[in-house]
Amino acid sequence: MNKIGHSCLDELVHMRIEKLTKKSKMSSEITQLSLSELPMDNWMAHLPSALWDTPLCYMAIPGSHNAITYCLDKNDRSPVDLTQPDMLQKLDKYMKPIIRPFVYKWAIAQECSIREQLDSGVRYCDLRIAHRPNDSSNDLYFYHGVYTTITVEMVLKEIREWLDVHPKEVVILSFSHFLGLSQELHILLVSVIKSVFDSKLCPKMECVTLRKLWSQGHQVIISYEHNIANCHRELWFQIPYWWANKCKPEALIEEFEHRKQYGRPGGFFVTGINLTEDLKYICSHPTESLKDMVMSTYPTLLSWVKQQKPGSNTGSLNIIAGDFVTESRFIPTVIALNENLLKRP
């Protein structure tokens, strides 16, 4: 080969090496990118391939406690839900203008819509289902203190539409705290769930991974807190929810650290960092709201969350749920915990 031929070949080899070097550098930069910096609306789709075969019950997943409380009925058409103390129900009946503002301030746990929560990275939703008293229709609603203005079917359809645009994202929907539902209404609700999500529903199985779900086109895992789940392969049994029932973050952390010593449940489970206000706390903070309490404690709670690890070991966590989850760094903080599962040099 002449000198010109050698020169051209050397140049081509040099260009090829340079291109591969740049590609390798870009790949390295992506690998080193913190998982908290992934696009939140598609964070599962952007996870490193090393996590695609990790069981979802061993991963860290951000969740929304009382997810559908952003649309509580504020027009006084809704009665106080029947789980509230008799005294509160009587006061609400005769002193509604005075009582209702307090109910709303402490009942709203999320301010963003379900679509906004999903866009922000939420992949577990705590859904509390009710049939309104004295309602002749079969419509079902969500509730927390009072009932919502939108029905369960409307929200499920909204989730389905979102999933159609995000084909690699997986959501876990927990149906629980059923209030006023007859067996017939349970059958109707299951029918609606199947109709809305259809083939996206993941049937009960031992090991659920992203790769397996993607290959089968499943995007929805339904946890159902009722014995009707025994009759449907698409309904998973109730996912355990660790609830500390504390109004101070230090007491909540102490409770969870105690529970962690005895090991985690075998499958999916939720650690709820949602604080619980009692009557004494509300009366001693008359100008505050649930949001005020939550936001003031998030620095302490998120500091604890950052120290947690997902996985199968004793003391590891799985789903972590909270209130006002879009108002802080809660979601990216939980997602970043999955870096502990990556074997990095």
Side-chain angles (χ1 to χ4, degrees):
M1 187 179 292
N2 57 32
K3 290 184 177 180
I4 295 176
H6 276 296
S7 177
C8 290
L9 182 60
D10 289 343
E11 188 174 345
L12 285 171
V13 171
H14 178 73
M15 289 172 64
R16 178 64 175 162
I17 291 173
E18 190 177 51
K19 187 176 180 180
L20 287 172
T21 302
K22 286 182 178 179
K23 188 175 181 180
S24 176
K25 185 178 179 182
M26 288 174 62
S27 177
S28 176
E29 287 174 353
I30 292 172
T31 302
Q32 296 304 318
L33 186 71
S34 170
L35 298 187
S36 65
E37 299 174 54
L38 296 177
M40 290 294 104
D41 65 327
N42 267 307
W43 68 266
M44 285 182 163
H46 286 83
L47 286 174
S49 58
L51 293 175
W52 295 356
D53 294 307
T54 301
L56 286 183
C57 64
Y58 294 155
M59 292 178 62
I61 299 173
S64 174
H65 170 251
N66 268 314
I68 318 296
T69 51
Y70 53 85
C71 53
L72 295 178
D73 192 341
K74 294 185 177 181
N75 296 320
D76 296 341
R77 293 172 299 187
S78 166
V80 170
D81 78 59
L82 299 179
T83 65
Q84 301 305 314
D86 290 341
M87 179 61 72
L88 179 59
Q89 294 187 48
K90 289 177 181 177
L91 288 173
D92 180 72
K93 185 177 181 180
Y94 299 108
M95 303 172 63
K96 189 169 291 186
I98 299 174
I99 297 300
R100 276 302 169 97
F102 283 95
V103 173
Y104 294 135
K105 284 200 306 179
W106 294 97
I108 297 172
Q110 310 292 341
E111 290 182 335
C112 290
S113 70
I114 188 62
R115 188 181 297 269
E116 291 170 327
Q117 291 181 50
L118 293 171
D119 278 338
S120 298
V122 166
R123 295 295 177 268
Y124 166 90
C125 297
D126 170 30
L127 308 176
R128 305 186 179 205
I129 315 297
H131 182 253
R132 290 192 184 200
N134 305 316
D135 185 351
S136 59
S137 76
N138 289 327
D139 291 337
L140 298 177
Y141 297 85
F142 304 94
Y143 73 99
H144 188 227
V146 293
Y147 301 88
T148 58
T149 56
I150 59 178
T151 66
V152 171
E153 186 171 2
M154 290 168 63
V155 170
L156 297 187
K157 286 181 176 178
E158 192 171 359
I159 295 173
R160 167 64 196 246
E161 290 172 2
W162 186 90
L163 289 170
D164 286 340
V165 184
H166 302 81
K168 284 197 167 184
E169 300 306 298
V170 178
V171 296
I172 302 169
L173 306 179
S174 176
F175 291 76
S176 65
H177 295 74
F178 295 107
L179 181 62
L181 269 71
S182 62
Q183 187 70 15
E184 289 72 22
L185 286 175
H186 274 291
I187 294 172
L188 178 63
L189 175 56
V190 172
S191 175
V192 169
I193 291 170
K194 289 185 176 183
S195 173
V196 170
F197 294 117
D198 197 22
S199 62
K200 290 186 182 293
L201 289 172
C202 174
K204 301 183 188 87
M205 61 177 69
E206 286 297 320
C207 183
V208 183
T209 66
L210 287 175
R211 192 190 298 274
K212 185 181 291 186
L213 292 171
W214 292 341
S215 68
Q216 299 176 3
H218 299 318
Q219 289 184 267
V220 183
I221 294 173
I222 301 290
S223 165
Y224 205 90
E225 189 187 22
H226 188 270
N227 57 20
I228 198 173
N230 295 318
C231 307
H232 300 270
R233 60 194 295 265
E234 300 89 351
L235 302 183
W236 293 57
F237 301 119
Q238 179 191 4
I239 294 176
Y241 194 109
W242 284 5
W243 175 50
N245 193 21
K246 307 292 183 183
C247 62
K248 293 185 177 181
E250 295 81 7
L252 179 144
I253 291 170
E254 182 180 354
E255 171 67 21
F256 287 150
E257 286 297 327
H258 175 71
R259 291 197 190 188
K260 283 166 57 180
Q261 295 176 16
Y262 297 94
R264 50 153 296 160
F268 289 109
F269 82 104
V270 185
T271 303
I273 64 168
N274 46 289
L275 297 170
T276 306
E277 74 286 354
D278 53 21
L279 185 60
K280 180 181 178 182
Y281 186 94
I282 293 175
C283 292
S284 59
H285 299 79
T287 62
E288 288 190 14
S289 65
L290 177 61
K291 185 176 183 179
D292 293 326
M293 181 176 76
V294 170
M295 299 314 293
S296 67
T297 58
Y298 252 135
T300 301
L301 292 174
L302 289 188
S303 178
W304 177 78
V305 169
K306 288 178 182 178
Q307 300 170 29
Q308 306 312 303
K309 293 183 179 181
S312 59
N313 297 328
T314 300
S316 60
L317 301 185
N318 176 208
I319 301 165
I320 304 177
D323 294 327
F324 302 100
V325 291
T326 62
E327 306 291 321
S328 69
R329 293 285 298 169
F330 168 77
I331 295 172
T333 298
V334 174
I335 294 172
L337 296 180
N338 291 303
E339 293 174 13
N340 291 291
L341 301 173
L342 295 171
K343 295 179 180 178
R344 292 181 173 175

